[in-house]
Amino acid sequence: FVSPSTCQSHSVMESLEKQLICPICLEMFTKPVVILPCQHNLCRKCASNPYLSTRSGSTVTSGGRFRCPSCRHEVVLDRHGVYGLQRNLLVENIIDMYKQGQGEDGGEEEPGVEVKPEQPMCEEHEDEKINIYCVTCSAPTCSLCKVFGAHKDCEVAPLNDIFNKQKVELADCVSMLVGNNERIQAIVSQLEETCRAVDENSRRQKSKVCETFDHLFALLEEKKSEMTVKINAEQEEKLDYIRGLRRKYTEHVDGTAKLLETAIQTMDESEMALFLQVNLNAPRPVQHFMLAAKTLGSDTSHLDKVQHGYENMDHFTANFEHQRRALSDIDFIKRKQRLHLPITDNFMF
């Protein structure tokens, strides 16, 4: 006779075993077990075989990528290949515990046949096997302990019932751990994807900012060139006029100097007759010289003069205060609320 709790335990263990089957080799996972970004698991040796086909018709491909045989999600490998995939240590531990449980049970049981493994003996009654469970003390014991020994006033239950009950509870805990682990792995994958998205979006926005500032720099350079050209044009115009005027005044001074030299040479003659005779034979009589001297010495009205303030260039002064404030106020478009990704799930272990 097989109790209902025993059937329930077998059902749970069979369900657990199905979760530990590799979708490629269709056998129980062989360590190391790797977890894919889609949260499905594979034997690493199966994932590293580029030509191994599964019964579902999918084929693991080479070239740094393959498709998950369970959901067809494409898995992109890094430079480490399948050795870069994260190991699922929880599944590996569950496999070890499952195999140990199978070994303690003496192998798989045939349907309808109750397996009776060798039972340990009671420490108080060496000839009695441990065959009942003390619910009060939470300890296995023997029948004599219940009748005559330390557990005679305790509540007891069949050992098999407690065994199957605790096996079911343990299997439930294992299933819960597997489920929590998968959810955590999904969150980790989501966070990794978010990190990549943040890096890519940041790179894109920094490129846009740099491009915008480059355009502003180009516009400022263009405006600077345009304004300096205007200043240079008036500078050259004024300098050309001043140079021409200076040239005229220089010629006037040179003429006065020559006339002065001639007058000094004439005045050096002390003999009156000779002075008058030289002056008479000279190309320019004294009367003509005196007239020229008065003209050169006093009359410069025919020469232009530079007006007061002609050198001033203050009319090219520009007020950049408005533009300076505008540049200082350059900032990103304000957002009322920043987006955060808080993890609020509470995991029970």
Side-chain angles (χ1 to χ4, degrees):
F1 173 73
V2 180
S3 65
S5 58
T6 302
C7 294
Q8 185 179 7
S9 176
H10 281 295
S11 176
V12 171
M13 298 305 290
E14 289 176 359
S15 175
L16 179 61
E17 183 177 357
K18 291 180 181 179
Q19 300 296 324
L20 303 178
I21 297 299
C22 174
I24 292 182
C25 62
L26 299 182
E27 297 178 358
M28 184 172 293
F29 288 119
T30 301
K31 295 192 298 185
V33 180
V34 294
I35 184 168
L36 306 180
C38 58
Q39 306 309 308
H40 290 114
N41 300 293
L42 293 176
C43 307
R44 182 188 288 171
K45 65 180 182 61
C46 294
S48 61
N49 190 338
Y51 302 107
L52 184 61
S53 299
T54 66
R55 296 185 182 180
S56 60
S58 60
T59 303
V60 178
T61 61
S62 58
R65 62 183 65 217
F66 65 89
R67 292 190 179 277
C68 172
S70 297
C71 65
R72 305 298 296 160
H73 175 78
E74 186 176 47
V75 179
V76 180
L77 301 175
D78 59 14
R79 59 189 180 88
H80 301 291
V82 296
Y83 292 93
L85 295 174
Q86 186 177 359
R87 288 181 63 177
N88 196 332
L89 299 179
L90 178 59
V91 170
E92 293 181 6
N93 292 335
I94 292 173
I95 292 173
D96 291 339
M97 289 188 295
Y98 177 83
K99 290 182 176 179
Q100 290 175 3
Q102 291 295 94
E104 291 173 359
D105 292 343
E108 297 184 356
E109 301 175 1
E110 297 181 3
V113 177
E114 183 179 4
V115 177
K116 296 181 180 180
E118 183 178 354
Q119 292 178 278
M121 308 301 289
C122 178
E123 294 181 357
E124 296 294 330
H125 307 92
E126 297 180 357
D127 296 332
E128 292 293 324
K129 294 182 179 180
I130 294 177
N131 54 5
I132 59 174
Y133 186 84
C134 179
V135 178
T136 304
C137 301
S138 300
T141 184
C142 72
S143 300
L144 292 181
C145 286
K146 170 59 180 170
V147 177
F148 306 106
H151 301 283
K152 62 180 179 179
D153 296 326
C154 298
E155 178 185 356
V156 297
L159 193 65
N160 190 57
D161 291 349
I162 302 300
F163 167 78
N164 291 319
K165 178 183 177 182
Q166 292 189 1
K167 271 291 190 75
V168 171
E169 292 175 352
L170 181 60
D172 291 341
C173 291
V174 170
S175 298
M176 183 183 65
L177 288 174
V178 172
N180 284 342
N181 182 69
E182 290 177 353
R183 284 198 295 155
I184 293 174
Q185 289 293 344
I187 293 175
V188 170
S189 298
Q190 180 185 4
L191 292 176
E192 291 175 350
E193 182 63 28
T194 303
C195 286
R196 288 190 290 268
V198 168
D199 288 338
E200 177 61 24
N201 292 336
S202 299
R203 184 198 61 78
R204 187 184 304 112
Q205 292 305 120
K206 285 189 287 186
S207 177
K208 289 182 179 179
V209 169
C210 292
E211 182 179 355
T212 302
F213 272 96
D214 289 342
H215 289 165
L216 287 176
F217 294 153
L219 180 61
L220 290 173
E221 285 292 334
E222 181 181 354
K223 201 65 179 178
K224 182 181 73 173
S225 300
E226 178 183 334
M227 297 177 72
T228 53
V229 164
K230 292 181 180 179
I231 297 175
N232 290 335
E234 184 164 329
Q235 176 188 3
E236 290 301 321
E237 180 182 353
K238 288 188 174 182
L239 289 177
D240 289 343
Y241 173 74
I242 295 173
R243 290 189 188 105
L245 194 59
R246 184 182 61 181
R247 186 167 53 253
K248 291 180 181 180
Y249 275 94
T250 301
E251 292 174 354
H252 182 83
V253 170
D254 291 343
T256 302
K258 290 180 181 180
L259 184 62
L260 180 62
E261 182 180 0
T262 302
I264 292 174
Q265 291 176 356
T266 303
M267 290 179 65
D268 287 342
E269 182 59 51
S270 60
E271 181 63 37
M272 292 184 291
L274 292 176
F275 174 81
L276 294 175
Q277 186 178 6
V278 171
N279 182 50
L280 181 64
N281 296 328
R284 289 185 178 181
V286 173
Q287 294 80 5
H288 178 73
F289 170 78
M290 293 175 64
L291 179 62
K294 290 180 180 180
T295 302
L296 290 173
S298 60
D299 187 11
T300 58
S301 60
H302 67 286
L303 297 176
D304 294 335
K305 294 181 177 61
V306 176
Q307 296 180 356
H308 178 70
Y310 183 77
E311 73 283 359
N312 198 337
M313 302 288 281
D314 291 344
H315 53 285
F316 287 109
T317 301
N319 184 4
F320 295 104
E321 183 61 25
H322 176 71
Q323 290 77 8
R324 186 191 66 79
R325 286 199 302 267
L327 290 174
S328 298
D329 292 339
I330 291 178
D331 200 352
F332 299 106
I333 299 174
K334 296 295 188 297
R335 299 184 62 180
K336 293 183 179 180
Q337 183 178 5
R338 293 183 179 273
L339 296 179
H340 298 282
L341 297 175
I343 301 176
T344 58
D345 290 348
N346 294 322
F347 299 104
M348 298 178 60
F349 296 95

